């Protein structure tokens, strides 16, 4: 039971003029690790948090994310671009909801519904790279429409063990 | 307490915030409506006002008002758009739908009301929807079915009540009249129990097409008999039960007839349930065609009851199970199709699977831990298809020994595995028709003939298997082969030799990405039935007509991504008439005008050619990356004009030379006038006068001019053309040098013959110009008496000269002669240099 984790789920949504973009949210702010994100979807912002920021040094960590779906997600694909100094150095993509029987609970949700996910995330790479960089994440659906989009600014100087 | 229920206060707060963020923002950002398809489809999302926007015409068929702030719908709300087929009201903050809101929408087939917390739904809210097929009431705050005023919607095919708080599955009687219903979803509700009688409405009529979704509920109990006599197309029960209640609840399914039953969980479910002994016992009394067990994690020793009650099912799919071993198989098993996807086997459980005597199709896929294939399939006489793709299999000595007494095996898929060694022993599976080994590292093929015994094989895929074809007999034995796919391999010396000589039945050949540099002359000789050839992404520089000539049945040819510069006329001629698709894109085309015929051919064959946008010129550099089909051929024709211009210049020069030849005199004279005056002037005055006269007047000149003037005192020295002109020098030169330049005066003897002579008039013209330029030589005109005055007047220049200047007139009378001599001698004496001899003589 991780009810206490909910307390970590701090989110401040500041209403500002959309022409200047969505506000930057802080996910982690520790000595060796800072993660901020900003939605790059002109239609909406979304909520995102990591339960224990230090877990990021391990292979798997727990996250929570919530948003209102502007498009149905019969199928859902995620694409991550790692950008250092304006150049994409790494690209990673995965199918979250494929055709056929849904693997995850939220697969098949409809336009207008809430999407809420809390649970572990396992990355295809061994560990999250160290240094200062941007992670550009994009979720697309079966019609190749952007469901959500965000740029994560990462300053990671955690020691791996 | 299950974790999914632990949505803490903070989380909910965020969710609520999110729900209200988009609408105010979107309302002020977006234009009211977007016309997606003219007159019929409009998207008006994020509106802040109620009512159908004014800009939407009454012809509209699809209207999207999602994320608008409509709050409530009143009667005849949509009367301005009676043609609507689809109405999307997702998240419109609706709390009230009054009676007759949709009454005008007789044609509406889809109504989406997702994510509106409806507080009040009128009893006649859906009246008038006589054509409605799909009603989406997901996340609409519904708590019970009985209050739902949909009883009159007999045409309904899909009713989605997901993500609500419905607690009871008691279907109202009107469901019995909804005979078209195909999909009824209670996904993620609060159904806790299903009682006898709840599904009575489904008992009557034919429901074999109906899918009932009860996934993500909290079912604690199903009363035995609740499903008795119900006949469904599909029943989905994923995460449907309270954690420990599954086994007993499943007992309640007794008497159900269903084409497909889906039981299990989701991979991210918080309620993941362990598979306990006898968990599926309840299914013994369910009659089903297909059983899907999905995302169960902890199969342990208890799993040996898995097939106890599903052994009589014809199709079993096991997806995402932590299954490490196949459970005990009942002897009376009737399973025909078995699939294990994403299971946890380490060895292909061939021994136990062989107990499914009726097995026809077996699939074990996407099993990362599956490395070994040591056990043998035995006695599966009906087995036709084995799919072991996308595992991590590593085996030697494939494949005959693994299949004992499986005589009907036709389809073997070992693709996307680690590595497989082929020994060439296919004796037990010699009836194979399809063999797929792509993306698995192979040992054997290419070095020696491993396919010798597969005489019946019609489909072979060895793409990307790291095979290097060295042996001429690599494909020996494959006499029935129709499809050979071997992209991404290589051939010895990067050369395609006589490798396909026995494949005379081949229809499709894929040898793309094989690093090929050369194709031997007789390579395709045997492939007269070949319809598709993919030889793209190699390093071929030529398309030799002789090589491809035997392929007379070809329909599709992919020659893209090679290093072809041009398709020569001879090569284009041998392309068979049956060809419908030709891809020669991404080659290194030479677009110089030498290949004008090729470029024109490209223009003609637009329909045949594929990927035209990727056909780019490579050379010459000034047209690099120009698209070939849109290449401007006129640039080649212009160059013909460029060839013509020197011809024009040559013609001009010729004309000039002709003109020079014709007007040589005038030109020469001009040259002398402009540059030579001083030099000639130095010659001094050799003669007293140059006599211009016609040759016919020569007699008069000698008698009346030369004799008196040269013989008289003082003696004058006259220049006469017949006497003083130098031989061997052009006449013009003589006229100018001897005549004008060496004489002080010019005597022109004007007679009828003078007027007719061209030489004379030329000389007179020069004399006039000379007088004008030098201002030296005077012209003494002597007009003979017999001159025709009328003729004289025609000679404009001369008659004008005579009018303006004094001239001498010769008359054959003594007195006139005397005056003539005095006047002429006077003129000639002017300016004469007397030398000493002459003075003495005087």
């Amino acid at each position: 039971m991780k009810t206490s984790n909910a307390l970590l789920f701090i989110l401040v949504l500041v209403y500002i003029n959309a022409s200047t973009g969505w506000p930057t949210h802080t996910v982690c702010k520790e000595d060796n690790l800072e993660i901020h994100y900003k939605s790059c979807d002109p239609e909406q912002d979304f909520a995102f948090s990591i339960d224990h920021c230090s877990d990021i040094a391990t292979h798997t960590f727990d996250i929570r994310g919530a948003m209102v779906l502007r498009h149905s997600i019969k199928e859902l694909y995620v694409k991550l671009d790692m950008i250092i100094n304006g150049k994409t150095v790494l690209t990673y993509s995965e199918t979250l909801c494929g055709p056929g029987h849904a693997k995850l609970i939220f697969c098949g949700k409809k336009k207008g519904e809430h999407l809420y996910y809390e649970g572990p995330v396992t990355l295809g790479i061994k560990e999250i790279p160290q240094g200062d960089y941007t992670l550009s994440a994009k979720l697309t659906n079966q019609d190749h429409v952007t469901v959500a989009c965000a740029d994560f600014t990462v300053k990671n100087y955690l020691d791996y063990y | 307490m299950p974790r999914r229920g632990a949505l803490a206060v903070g989380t909910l707060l965020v969710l609520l915030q999110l729900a209200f963020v988009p609408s105010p923002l979107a309302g002020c950002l977006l234009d009211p409506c977007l016309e997606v398809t003219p007159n019929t489809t409009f998207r008006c999302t994020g509106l802040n006002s109620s009512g159908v926007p004014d800009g939407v015409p009454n012809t509209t068929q699809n209207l999207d008002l999602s994320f608008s702030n409509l709050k409530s719908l009143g009667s005849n709300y949509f009367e301005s758009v009676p043609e609507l087929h689809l109405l999307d009201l997702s998240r419109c903050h609706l709390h009230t739908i009054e009676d007759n809101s949709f009454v005008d929408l007789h044609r509406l087939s889809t109504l989406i009301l997702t994510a509106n917390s409806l507080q009040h739904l009128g009893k006649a809210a859906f009246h008038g929807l006589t054509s409605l097929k799909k009603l989406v009431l997901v996340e609409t705050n519904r708590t019970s079915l009985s209050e739902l005023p949909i009883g009159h919607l007999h045409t309904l095919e899909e009713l989605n009540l997901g993500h609500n708080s419905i607690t009871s599955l008691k279907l109202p009687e009107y469901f019995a009249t909804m005979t078209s219903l195909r999909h009824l979803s209670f996904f993620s509700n609060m159904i806790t129990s299903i009682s006898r009688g709840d599904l009575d409405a489904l008992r009557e009529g034919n429901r074999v097409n109906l899918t009932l979704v009860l996934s993500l509920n909290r079912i604690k109990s199903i009363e035995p008999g609740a499903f008795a006599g119900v006949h469904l197309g599909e029943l989905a029960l994923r995460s449907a039960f309270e954690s420990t209640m599954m086994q007993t609840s499943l007992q309640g399914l007794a008497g159900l007839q269903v084409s497909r039953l889906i039981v299990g969980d989701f991979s991210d479910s918080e309620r993941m349930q362990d598979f306990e002994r006898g968990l599926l016992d309840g299914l013994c009394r369910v009659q089903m065609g297909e059983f899907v067990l999905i995302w169960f994690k902890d199969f342990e020793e208890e799993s040996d009851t898995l097939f106890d009650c599903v052994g009589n099912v014809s199709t079993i799919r096991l997806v995402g199970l932590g299954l490490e071993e196949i459970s005990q198989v009942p002897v009376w098993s009737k399973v025909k199709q078995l699939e294990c996807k994403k299971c946890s086997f380490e060895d292909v459980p061939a021994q136990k699977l062989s107990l499914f005597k009726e097995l026809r199709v077996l699939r074990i896929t996407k099993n990362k831990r599956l490395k070994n294939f040591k056990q043998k399939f035995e006695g599966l006489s009906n087995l036709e298809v084995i799919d072991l793709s996308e595992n991590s299999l590593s085996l030697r000595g494939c494949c005959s020994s693994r299949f004992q007494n499986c005589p009907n095996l036709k389809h073997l898929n070992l693709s996307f595995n680690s590595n497989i060694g082929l020994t060439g022993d296919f004796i037990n599976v010699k009836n194979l028709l399809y063999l797929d080994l792509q993306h698995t590292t192979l040992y054997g093929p290419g070095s020696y003939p491993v396919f010798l015994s597969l005489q019946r094989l019609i489909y072979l895929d060895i793409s990307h298997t790291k095979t290097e074809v060295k042996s001429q007999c690599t494909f020996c034995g494959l006499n029935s082969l129709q499809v050979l796919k071997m992209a991404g391999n290589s051939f010895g010396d990067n050369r395609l030799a006589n490798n396909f000589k026995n494949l005379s039945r081949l229809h499709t050949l894929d040898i793309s990405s094989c690093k090929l540099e050369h194709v031997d002359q007789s390579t395709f000789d045997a492939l007269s039935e070949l319809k598709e050839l993919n030889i793209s992404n190699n390093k071929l520089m030529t398309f030799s007509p002789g090589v491809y000539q035997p392929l007379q049945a070809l329909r599709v040819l992919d020659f893209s991504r090679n290093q072809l510069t041009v398709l020569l006329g001879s090569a284009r001629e041998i392309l068979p008439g049956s060809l419908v698709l030709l891809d020669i894109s991404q080659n290194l085309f030479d677009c110089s005008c030498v290949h004008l015929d090729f470029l024109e051919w490209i223009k003609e064959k637009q329909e045949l050619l594929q990927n035209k946008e990727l056909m780019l010129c490579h050379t010459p550099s000034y047209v690099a990356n120009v698209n070939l089909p849109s290449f401007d051929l006129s640039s080649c024709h212009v160059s013909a004009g460029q060839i013509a211009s020197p011809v024009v210049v040559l013609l001009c020069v010729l004309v000039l030379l002709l003109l020079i030849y014709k007007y040589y005199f005038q030109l020469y004279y001009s040259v002398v006038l402009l540059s030579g005056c001083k030099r000639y002037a130095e010659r001094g005055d050799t003669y007293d006068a140059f006599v211009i006269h016609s040759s016919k007047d020569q007699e008069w000149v000698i008698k009346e001019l030369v004799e008196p003037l040269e013989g008289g005192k003082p003696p004058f020295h006259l220049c006469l053309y017949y006497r003083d002109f130098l031989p061997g020098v052009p006449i013009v030169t003589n006229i100018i040098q001897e005549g004008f330049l060496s004489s002080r005066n010019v005597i022109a003897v004007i007679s009828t013959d003078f007027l007719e002579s061209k030489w004379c008039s030329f000389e007179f013209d020069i004399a006039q110009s000379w007088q004008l330029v030098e201002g030296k030589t005077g012209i003494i005109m002597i007009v003979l008496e017999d001159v025709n005055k009328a003729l004289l007047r025609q000679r404009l220049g001369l008659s004008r000269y005579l009018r303006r200047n004094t001239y001498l007139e010769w008359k054959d009378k003594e007195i006139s002669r005397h005056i003539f001599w005095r006047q002429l001698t006077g003129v000639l004496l002017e300016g004469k240099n007397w030398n000493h001899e002459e003075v003495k003589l005087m």
Side-chain angles (χ1 to χ4, degrees):
Chain A
M1 217 175 86
K2 290 186 177 178
T3 315
S4 59
N5 287 339
L7 296 171
L8 291 164
F9 197 65
I10 303 159
L11 191 101
V12 184
L13 285 173
V14 185
Y15 295 103
I16 50 166
N17 194 339
S19 63
T20 58
W22 299 103
T24 302
H25 307 287
T26 302
V27 181
C28 301
K29 190 158 186 173
E30 295 177 1
D31 289 346
N32 297 324
L33 177 68
E34 273 187 44
I35 300 177
H36 308 277
Y37 77 90
K38 187 174 176 175
S39 169
C40 47
D41 182 350
E43 287 188 325
Q44 65 178 346
D45 203 350
F46 66 95
F48 179 82
S49 76
I50 297 175
D51 282 2
H52 295 289
C53 280
S54 52
D55 282 356
I56 223 164
T58 61
H59 195 49
T60 301
F61 52 94
D62 286 333
I63 63 152
R64 289 145 195 264
M67 66 180 293
V68 172
L69 290 171
R70 288 250 150 197
H71 306 277
S72 71
I73 49 167
K74 202 172 176 184
E75 292 168 29
L76 189 65
Y77 305 93
V78 64
K79 190 183 172 201
L80 286 170
D81 284 333
M82 183 175 163
I83 301 165
I84 300 177
N85 294 330
K87 284 181 183 166
T88 304
V89 294
L90 213 79
T91 296
Y92 171 78
S93 58
E94 199 182 352
T95 303
L96 297 178
C97 303
H101 294 303
K103 176 182 165 189
L104 301 166
I105 292 174
F106 59 70
C107 294
K109 282 216 174 193
K110 295 177 181 302
K111 174 173 138 187
E113 280 195 85
H114 273 136
L115 176 89
Y116 177 74
Y117 178 80
E118 63 168 319
V121 163
T122 306
L123 291 179
I125 44 176
K126 278 258 164 75
E127 57 196 33
I128 289 191
Q130 282 186 301
D132 288 20
Y133 51 87
T134 302
L135 275 178
S136 174
K138 197 171 178 183
L139 292 168
T140 49
N141 75 351
Q142 64 281 358
D143 303 320
H144 311 289
V145 177
T146 303
V147 173
C149 165
D151 290 325
F152 290 85
T153 315
V154 183
K155 288 180 181 163
N156 179 25
Y157 295 99
L158 283 177
D159 292 324
Y160 292 94
Y161 40 84
Chain B
M1 186 178 163
R3 202 175 151 204
R4 195 172 69 97
L7 286 184
V9 184
T11 311
L12 283 171
L13 196 77
V14 170
L15 291 178
L16 277 172
Q17 274 190 347
L18 274 164
F20 294 105
V21 169
S23 44
L25 274 168
C28 62
L29 278 177
L30 302 171
D31 285 336
C33 287
L34 178 73
E35 192 170 5
V36 181
T37 314
N39 295 325
T40 55
T41 304
F42 286 84
R43 188 182 297 148
C44 315
T45 57
L47 299 181
N48 222 352
S49 56
S50 57
V52 176
D54 294 335
V56 178
N58 59 3
T59 53
T60 307
Q61 294 181 356
N62 304 309
L63 180 59
D64 183 355
L65 290 170
S66 56
F67 302 99
S68 296
N69 199 8
L70 301 183
K71 292 195 177 72
S72 66
L73 301 180
S75 62
N76 302 88
Y77 197 90
F78 298 99
E79 66 179 339
S80 63
V81 280
E83 299 291 317
L84 276 191
H85 287 171
L86 185 148
L87 178 59
D88 189 345
L89 296 170
S90 298
R91 199 165 286 278
C92 279
H93 303 265
L94 291 173
H95 48 75
T96 304
I97 299 179
E98 288 173 16
D99 288 351
N100 300 316
S101 293
F102 307 103
V103 77
D104 305 292
L105 305 178
H106 303 297
R107 293 164 195 265
L108 196 73
S109 66
T110 304
L111 177 58
I112 302 169
L113 287 164
T114 305
N116 289 289
S117 352
L118 299 172
Q119 308 291 328
H120 175 73
L121 193 58
K123 286 264 182 283
F126 299 119
H127 270 203
L129 296 171
T130 50
S131 306
L132 198 67
K133 288 182 175 165
K134 183 173 175 179
L135 178 59
V136 181
L137 290 167
V138 171
E139 218 183 299
T140 48
N141 217 13
R142 298 298 87 204
T143 52
S144 79
L145 277 173
S146 54
E147 56 162 26
L148 212 56
I150 56 169
H152 58 290
L153 302 176
H154 305 306
T155 52
L156 212 57
E157 291 179 3
E158 182 177 337
L159 176 60
N160 196 331
L161 287 159
H163 298 277
N164 281 299
S165 309
I166 295 167
T167 50
S168 165
L169 192 61
K170 170 72 186 160
L171 296 181
E173 282 176 14
Y174 57 73
F175 273 94
T177 60
M178 290 182 185
T179 47
S180 306
L181 204 62
R182 288 192 287 112
H183 192 95
L184 179 58
S185 175
F186 294 93
F187 190 90
S188 190
N189 271 281
M190 304 283 208
I191 297 168
T192 50
S193 63
I194 302 171
S195 309
R196 200 191 286 249
D198 281 0
L199 298 172
D200 278 354
L202 298 181
R203 279 206 177 85
E204 295 151 30
N206 187 3
R207 298 289 180 176
V208 285
N209 290 325
L210 179 65
T211 296
L212 178 61
V213 180
L214 295 172
S215 300
L216 282 163
N217 275 286
R218 294 164 175 271
I219 298 170
K220 290 191 179 78
S221 67
I222 299 178
E223 195 179 345
F227 281 88
V230 177
H231 196 169
L232 293 175
E234 182 176 316
L235 177 61
L237 293 167
R238 296 177 67 179
S239 294
F241 305 99
E242 275 293 350
S243 49
T244 54
M245 302 298 181
M246 182 169 170
Q247 189 175 358
T248 50
S249 298
L250 285 178
Q251 301 279 358
L253 294 179
L256 171 71
Q257 256 189 75
V258 65
S259 304
R260 180 190 290 144
L261 178 67
I262 304 171
V263 175
D265 239 319
F266 293 91
S267 71
D268 59 333
S269 172
E270 306 297 331
R271 288 188 273 164
M272 272 301 212
Q273 174 157 15
D274 291 352
F275 195 94
E276 294 156 7
R277 176 175 282 275
L279 186 71
L280 303 176
D281 281 358
L283 302 182
C284 280
R285 293 165 68 196
V286 176
Q287 198 181 327
M288 52 189 159
E290 180 178 343
F291 175 63
V292 181
L293 188 63
I294 189 165
W295 290 110
F296 260 90
K297 274 207 178 123
D298 295 312
F299 270 87
E300 283 163 18
E301 297 87 58
E302 288 88 354
S303 65
D304 59 346
T305 60
L306 175 61
F307 296 112
D308 280 4
C309 285
V310 293
N312 59 346
V313 179
S314 74
T315 301
I316 295 180
R317 296 188 64 219
L318 308 169
V319 182
L321 304 183
L323 201 61
E324 289 174 9
E325 275 181 39
I326 286 286
S327 327
Q328 199 177 342
V329 180
V331 281
W332 38 266
S333 156
K334 297 218 166 43
V335 178
K336 290 189 174 63
Q337 295 197 33
L338 180 64
E339 176 175 347
C340 300
K341 187 175 169 184
K342 295 184 184 172
C343 290
S344 299
F345 302 132
E346 286 181 11
D347 196 342
V348 178
Q351 218 170 334
K352 273 194 172 167
L353 289 171
S354 298
L355 298 170
F356 290 100
K357 290 295 174 198
E358 304 272 319
L359 206 61
R360 203 173 59 76
V361 179
L362 172 67
R363 298 182 197 276
I364 302 175
T365 59
K366 296 194 176 183
N367 195 332
K368 281 181 188 164
R369 297 171 65 185
L370 184 58
K371 290 185 182 134
N372 302 320
F373 186 3
K374 289 177 185 152
Q375 301 174 24
K376 294 170 183 172
F377 288 99
E378 202 158 357
L380 292 173
S381 56
N382 295 324
L383 193 65
E384 287 178 18
V385 179
I386 287 196
D387 182 356
L388 296 172
S389 62
E390 296 182 76
N391 298 306
S392 303
L393 284 176
S394 171
L395 60 127
R396 288 183 197 167
C398 186
C399 297
S400 189
S401 58
R402 266 82 171 180
F403 303 97
Q404 306 286 334
N405 298 318
C406 301
N408 281 313
L409 191 64
K410 293 186 175 74
H411 193 130
L412 178 59
N413 187 348
L414 290 163
S415 61
F416 297 93
N417 277 292
S418 295
N419 53 72
I420 290 174
L422 297 179
T423 57
D425 182 7
F426 288 96
I427 299 298
N428 292 339
V429 289
K430 61 180 188 298
N431 291 329
L432 268 186
L433 301 180
Y434 302 89
L435 180 58
D436 191 346
L437 297 162
Q438 62 173 304
H439 291 91
T440 301
T441 304
L442 294 182
Y443 305 115
S447 305
Y448 48 96
V450 294
F451 302 114
L452 269 173
S453 47
L454 294 174
Q455 301 272 343
R456 296 183 188 180
L457 201 71
I458 58 173
Y459 181 102
L460 176 62
D461 192 341
I462 54 167
S463 309
H464 305 278
T465 52
K466 297 183 183 161
T467 299
E468 186 183 355
V469 178
K470 285 177 274 191
S471 159
Q472 292 269 318
C473 206
T474 297
F475 302 108
C476 286
L478 297 170
N479 296 331
S480 308
L481 202 66
Q482 291 179 11
V483 180
L484 174 58
K485 295 188 176 185
M486 52 171 305
N489 292 300
S490 61
F491 288 82
D493 298 331
N494 296 328
R495 169 185 281 267
L496 206 54
N498 201 7
N499 302 103
F500 308 122
K501 59 190 173 201
N502 60 315
L503 304 180
S504 58
R505 306 283 295 276
L506 211 59
H507 283 179
T508 304
L509 176 61
D510 184 350
I511 41 174
S512 58
S513 312
C514 283
K515 307 185 193 90
L516 286 172
E517 287 169 6
H518 190 264
V519 183
D520 278 4
Q521 187 76 20
S522 56
T523 303
F524 299 128
D525 278 359
L527 307 184
S528 58
E529 290 182 25
L530 198 71
K531 290 191 171 69
E532 281 189 48
L533 174 61
N534 185 349
I535 196 166
S536 65
N537 198 17
N538 283 297
K539 294 174 181 170
L540 299 172
M541 298 168 83
T542 52
F543 185 91
S544 314
V547 176
Y548 300 91
Q549 181 130 39
L551 305 174
Q552 283 306 308
L554 209 60
R555 290 171 51 80
V556 180
L557 173 60
D558 190 344
F559 205 89
S560 62
R561 290 186 285 164
N562 276 291
Q563 296 173 5
L564 196 66
T565 52
V566 66
L567 208 55
L568 293 171
S570 52
R572 299 196 300 266
E573 273 167 27
I574 62 99
L575 291 176
S578 54
L579 201 67
V580 283
L581 300 177
L582 174 64
D583 192 343
I584 50 170
S585 63
Q586 299 185 69
N587 276 289
L588 307 176
F589 291 115
D590 181 358
C591 293
S592 49
C593 291
V594 183
H595 304 304
L596 187 62
D597 54 339
F598 170 62
L599 298 172
E600 281 170 344
W601 181 81
I602 295 280
K603 293 237 181 226
E604 281 170 29
K605 299 288 179 183
Q606 299 270 358
E607 279 184 21
L608 178 69
L609 296 166
Q610 303 297 300
N611 295 318
K612 290 190 279 284
E613 68 283 359
L614 296 173
M615 291 175 63
L616 302 174
C617 297
H618 182 71
T619 52
S621 53
Y622 62 89
V623 289
N625 293 329
V626 171
N627 187 245
L628 214 58
S630 57
F631 188 78
D632 186 14
L633 292 179
S634 63
S635 61
C636 287
H637 298 305
V638 163
S639 77
Q642 282 163 353
I643 293 166
S645 65
V647 174
V648 171
V649 171
L650 203 70
L651 270 172
C652 290
V653 168
L654 259 172
V655 168
L656 199 69
L657 282 173
L658 268 170
L659 285 171
I660 288 172
Y661 176 74
K662 193 172 178 190
Y663 296 102
Y664 173 72
F665 310 138
Q666 284 88 341
L667 284 168
Y668 184 86
Y669 171 57
S670 307
V671 167
V672 169
L673 270 187
L674 292 170
S675 62
C677 297
K678 282 178 184 166
R679 190 161 56 86
Y680 290 121
E682 284 163 11
R683 291 170 67 96
D685 299 327
T686 318
Y687 306 104
D688 291 310
F690 172 46
V691 184
I692 308 172
H693 64 93
S694 165
S695 56
K696 289 174 181 164
D697 295 328
Q698 195 169 328
E699 197 183 326
W700 182 88
V701 169
I702 292 168
K703 194 180 156 202
E704 304 295 346
L705 272 182
V706 178
E707 280 179 11
L709 287 177
E710 292 196 340
K713 287 215 171 154
F716 294 102
H717 196 193
L718 296 179
C719 176
L720 300 165
Y721 76 88
Y722 60 87
R723 191 186 67 191
D724 297 316
F725 279 11
L726 302 169
V729 178
I731 298 172
V732 180
T733 314
N734 269 323
I735 289 172
I736 290 168
Q737 286 194 3
E738 295 301 316
F740 291 105
L741 286 173
S742 308
S743 308
R744 284 190 296 114
N745 291 295
V746 173
I747 295 172
V749 182
I750 313 287
S751 68
T752 310
D753 295 324
F754 181 96
L755 296 175
E756 283 168 0
S757 163
K758 282 191 175 161
W759 277 115
C760 288
S761 69
F762 172 64
E763 283 169 345
F764 183 72
D765 284 346
I766 294 175
Q768 267 185 289
S769 320
W770 200 258
Q771 187 186 31
L772 196 74
V773 174
E774 291 283 284
K776 178 182 156 193
T777 313
I779 305 177
I780 302 158
M781 311 285 284
I782 299 169
V783 179
L784 299 184
E785 56 185 339
D786 56 339
V787 172
N788 186 347
K789 296 278 188 261
L791 202 65
L792 191 66
R793 242 174 268 127
Q794 285 176 5
R795 299 295 305 276
L796 201 64
L798 188 57
S799 82
R800 192 190 293 143
Y801 190 85
L802 288 173
R803 244 184 284 135
R804 290 178 186 169
N805 294 278
T806 314
Y807 57 90
L808 298 173
E809 206 162 347
W810 169 263
K811 285 178 182 145
D812 205 10
K813 285 177 189 165
E814 197 59 37
I815 186 89
S816 306
R817 233 187 263 181
H818 184 74
I819 297 164
F820 175 81
W821 285 120
R822 270 191 65 168
Q823 285 178 316
L824 185 59
T825 313
V827 177
L828 291 176
L829 275 176
E830 248 173 59
K832 180 172 167 75
N833 292 325
W834 300 102
N835 56 32
H836 296 292
E837 257 178 84
E838 283 168 333
V839 174
K840 273 179 195 168
L841 279 167
M842 280 176 80

